[in-house]
Amino acid sequence: MPGWIPGWRRLPRWGRILYALAGVAVLVAAGLYGVPALTRPDTCHDGIEKIGGECVGVDGTGYDFGTPEIGPVARAIAEENDRIADQPHVTVAMMLPLQSDTPGLRRQMRSDLQGAYLGQRQANSGEGQVPKIRLVLANPGRNYGHQHDVVSTLLDMAESDQDKLRAVTGFNLTLDATRQAVARLTEGGVPVLASRISGDGIANVDGTKQRFPGLARIIPTNGEAAKALANFNGERGRRNARTVLVHDNRRDAYVESLARAFRGIEETGPAGPADMPFESPGIDEAGSTGSQFEQIANNICGSEADTVYFAGRTLHLRIFALTLARQTCADRHFTLVSGSDAASLRQTMSERDWAQLGGGENGAAKVTVQYAAPAHPDAWDTELAAWTERWQASHDRAPTDAERPQYLTEPKAALETLQNLIRSERQAGTDLGSTPDLEDSRTMLVHDGLVTIGTALHEVQGNDAERAPGLADVRQEWSKLQSVHRVRGTSGLICLTSGGNPYDKPVAVVELNPGRGARGTLRFVGLGWSTGKAQPKNCVIPSGTS
């Protein structure tokens, strides 16, 4: 009985004894007086509790949580867990909602888990490199609604000599519930690496006492991404454009953070219209946003605004973009700018949506959707080609390998390693549910998160293969992953500050390109840097930053 009582392992010894004795007494009484036998909570799977129709809990045996799209990759993770079971290993948990009625969201889950599996495989590669990573999936329910129960389980696993949980990653939504989960895990001493949450409120502030001790991030915050966008667009974003902010009034940490970031962009040009709010019922619920957007789009058409900063979730961004494209403003083109959540926009677009965004027969898009993506697979080849062309023009010769910038060549090499791994897994017959699509950045970011955790584990392990790294060892390692120990991520160089933040991590400025076919693409435009310039050589963090 005690094994399924939440928090059992965190009770003092005398508390466990009393708990066990009480359980025995209840069972005896049930037998004596004919009381029906005690039953465990309703379950979806061994160890996975069914709460309000959702399958909540932690599993590393290949369970798909009732989402068939993730079944193959969940089983691939379980097979890798079995492969390394007899080698020195620790556990890492991937925590994110794993059930949805929306096909697009289920595909996103699959992309995230594909990145987790590929990162696990890469971290576990290399003979004699230990500890290996046993990966488990932790489903906290829709919008992290049952995160408290899952966090309790993870805290138990961190104290367990059998599980040896040493890090929790994932976290794909910036919500109050996400912040609460991160806070409780880090307060309990468990290292957390956030691969996809961009809200400024779930980040440590460098140079001050850490709000989340043991938290590391590999994605720029909304504030940093907004700076990078402004730096990339230069004068167009400050002097020439007339901008308007359209934002969701619903309480949402990501949206609130993004709206603050857009308001903070310094502009010296003519004033645009006042902010235009709307209110949605939820992250993946449209509600009355369509009719609200019709009015907002009419008002924008009646103004001189040509650039719209949109602080809202992907579903609502899609509806607004299509609504704005339908307006009849004569000879007007709008640039619609949003944050990292928009990286999922392409997966939600239908062929009809693409045709509408494309502007009809002439194919001239009326609305250009631009956002700061955490990564894009075309970034490194495109940027390196442009850099080489500039170099040759000023030096009259081709650059040597040593002269090429590390901030481009090392991520390019990391991306090629990932692409080779995807090919080798396909050739080996590994079923991941689909061929990983790197264009939306999800697979790349989550992969980089597992590789970063693996790097930290291998650094603190040293030559002592018999001793598993402690929780404190991993927490303290985050800030050492810089300079010589930088992580070569597919999304860019990862060099962490004392607060666990990625220093000057680039954002990929991406535009939704309707094209002339049935479906459009995400077109990489360029790299943006929050500091206004690329990372320094060897990713040495300047004094005063951390």
Side-chain angles (χ1 to χ4, degrees):
M1 179 179 67
W4 57 270
I5 296 172
W8 167 260
R9 293 191 184 97
R10 295 199 306 283
L11 289 173
R13 182 177 177 81
W14 59 266
R16 299 187 192 189
I17 294 171
L18 289 177
Y19 226 154
L21 290 175
V24 170
V26 170
L27 289 172
V28 171
L32 288 175
Y33 295 102
V35 179
L38 294 177
T39 58
R40 296 190 179 193
D42 190 16
T43 59
C44 300
H45 179 74
D46 186 27
I48 304 298
E49 190 173 354
K50 190 171 186 178
I51 306 176
E54 294 188 277
C55 298
V56 177
V58 181
D59 180 80
T61 66
Y63 177 59
D64 65 8
F65 292 87
T67 304
E69 285 86 345
I70 70 171
V73 66
R75 290 189 289 273
I77 290 170
E79 289 173 6
E80 175 65 7
N81 289 343
D82 290 340
R83 187 185 72 83
I84 57 93
D86 294 331
Q87 302 178 57
H89 66 271
V90 297
T91 300
V92 173
M94 176 78 178
M95 184 172 177
L96 75 164
L98 292 172
Q99 289 177 279
S100 174
D101 296 328
T102 306
L105 291 180
R106 295 198 297 268
R107 290 193 294 270
Q108 291 172 26
M109 295 169 193
R110 182 174 60 200
S111 292
D112 284 335
L113 295 192
Q114 287 172 340
Y117 169 75
L118 294 165
Q120 178 193 23
R121 286 283 288 157
Q122 185 167 331
N124 285 348
S125 65
E127 291 297 324
Q129 187 160 275
V130 293
K132 306 298 185 184
I133 290 177
R134 168 183 173 254
L135 187 62
V136 297
L137 307 183
N139 180 24
R142 181 181 178 184
N143 295 338
Y144 293 80
H146 301 293
Q147 56 82 18
H148 189 275
D149 295 332
V150 174
V151 168
S152 293
T153 299
L154 295 176
L155 290 172
D156 288 346
M157 292 174 65
E159 293 185 4
S160 164
D161 291 335
Q162 179 179 351
D163 291 315
K164 294 190 286 290
L165 178 76
R166 290 299 175 264
V168 181
T169 187
F171 300 107
N172 61 336
L173 294 172
T174 303
L175 303 169
D176 287 344
T178 319
R179 180 186 56 75
Q180 292 164 12
V182 171
R184 191 161 162 235
L185 284 166
T186 53
E187 286 169 4
V190 177
V192 171
L193 186 135
S195 53
R196 292 202 56 84
I197 46 176
S198 58
D200 295 69
I202 310 179
N204 292 319
V205 178
D206 291 319
T208 65
K209 183 178 179 181
Q210 294 187 6
R211 292 183 288 182
F212 308 97
L215 169 65
R217 308 164 46 90
I218 62 168
I219 183 175
T221 63
N222 287 330
E224 291 165 337
K227 289 178 186 176
L229 274 172
N231 290 330
F232 177 81
N233 285 315
E235 289 302 301
R236 190 191 74 78
R238 291 186 174 88
R239 185 177 299 278
N240 299 323
R242 286 180 169 84
T243 66
V244 58
L245 172 63
V246 175
H247 64 94
D248 197 341
N249 263 343
R250 177 178 55 82
R251 184 174 179 181
D252 182 316
Y254 165 81
V255 172
E256 292 166 347
S257 172
L258 189 59
R260 283 195 302 271
F262 284 146
R263 290 190 184 102
I265 294 177
E266 183 180 351
E267 295 177 340
T268 59
D275 293 0
M276 297 186 184
F278 68 96
E279 188 161 334
S280 71
I283 290 176
D284 54 0
E285 299 176 67
S288 66
T289 53
S291 60
Q292 295 181 63
F293 288 155
E294 287 286 351
Q295 298 175 65
I296 291 173
N298 286 336
N299 287 336
I300 291 175
C301 268
S303 74
E304 295 185 348
D306 53 23
T307 299
V308 181
Y309 291 133
F310 187 88
R313 292 289 182 173
T314 299
L315 171 66
H316 311 120
L317 172 62
R318 169 185 160 275
I319 297 170
F320 181 73
L322 296 173
T323 302
L324 194 58
R326 287 198 303 266
Q327 299 306 303
T328 57
C329 321
D331 301 321
R332 295 281 294 280
H333 174 269
F334 298 97
T335 299
L336 184 54
V337 182
S338 196
S340 61
D341 195 63
S344 304
L345 181 58
R346 180 172 175 265
Q347 291 191 11
T348 69
M349 297 282 286
S350 67
E351 291 184 10
R352 180 179 178 183
D353 293 340
W354 285 112
Q356 185 172 319
L357 201 63
E361 296 180 0
N362 62 6
K366 194 163 189 177
V367 175
T368 298
V369 181
Q370 183 187 93
Y371 61 89
H376 193 282
D378 293 342
W380 313 117
D381 280 338
T382 304
E383 289 291 304
L384 195 54
W387 182 92
T388 301
E389 184 178 347
R390 292 192 299 270
W391 171 279
Q392 290 176 328
S394 59
H395 292 76
D396 294 325
R397 64 175 177 83
T400 65
D401 287 343
E403 289 168 330
R404 297 177 189 273
Q406 293 169 317
Y407 65 85
L408 296 178
T409 58
E410 291 183 355
K412 172 179 164 63
L415 179 61
E416 290 171 351
T417 298
L418 173 58
Q419 290 168 331
N420 288 336
L421 177 59
I422 292 172
R423 280 191 289 270
S424 66
E425 291 290 328
R426 186 169 59 245
Q427 291 167 0
T430 305
D431 184 3
L432 299 180
S434 69
T435 300
D437 181 2
L438 303 184
E439 202 171 63
D440 71 354
S441 79
R442 305 184 80 92
T443 299
M444 292 172 65
L445 259 290
V446 177
H447 162 273
D448 287 357
L450 265 293
V451 170
T452 301
I453 292 171
T455 301
L457 289 170
H458 299 149
E459 290 285 351
V460 299
Q461 180 73 63
N463 297 320
D464 187 0
E466 300 302 318
R467 183 189 68 87
L471 293 166
D473 296 329
V474 181
R475 287 197 309 271
Q476 294 164 9
E477 185 62 25
W478 294 145
S479 63
K480 298 178 179 63
L481 298 182
Q482 56 167 293
S483 188
V484 174
H485 299 288
R486 63 191 177 276
V487 178
R488 282 81 168 172
T490 65
S491 59
L493 295 182
I494 298 167
C495 22
L496 300 179
T497 66
S498 62
N501 298 309
Y503 174 69
D504 198 22
K505 183 82 181 296
V507 300
V509 181
V510 173
E511 290 183 353
L512 205 63
N513 181 24
R516 294 184 180 275
R519 295 190 65 80
T521 60
L522 295 179
R523 184 174 71 88
F524 172 74
V525 182
L527 290 180
W529 307 88
S530 60
T531 65
K533 57 184 178 181
Q535 293 162 313
K537 185 176 180 180
N538 291 333
C539 209
V540 176
I541 300 175
S543 174
T545 300
S546 57

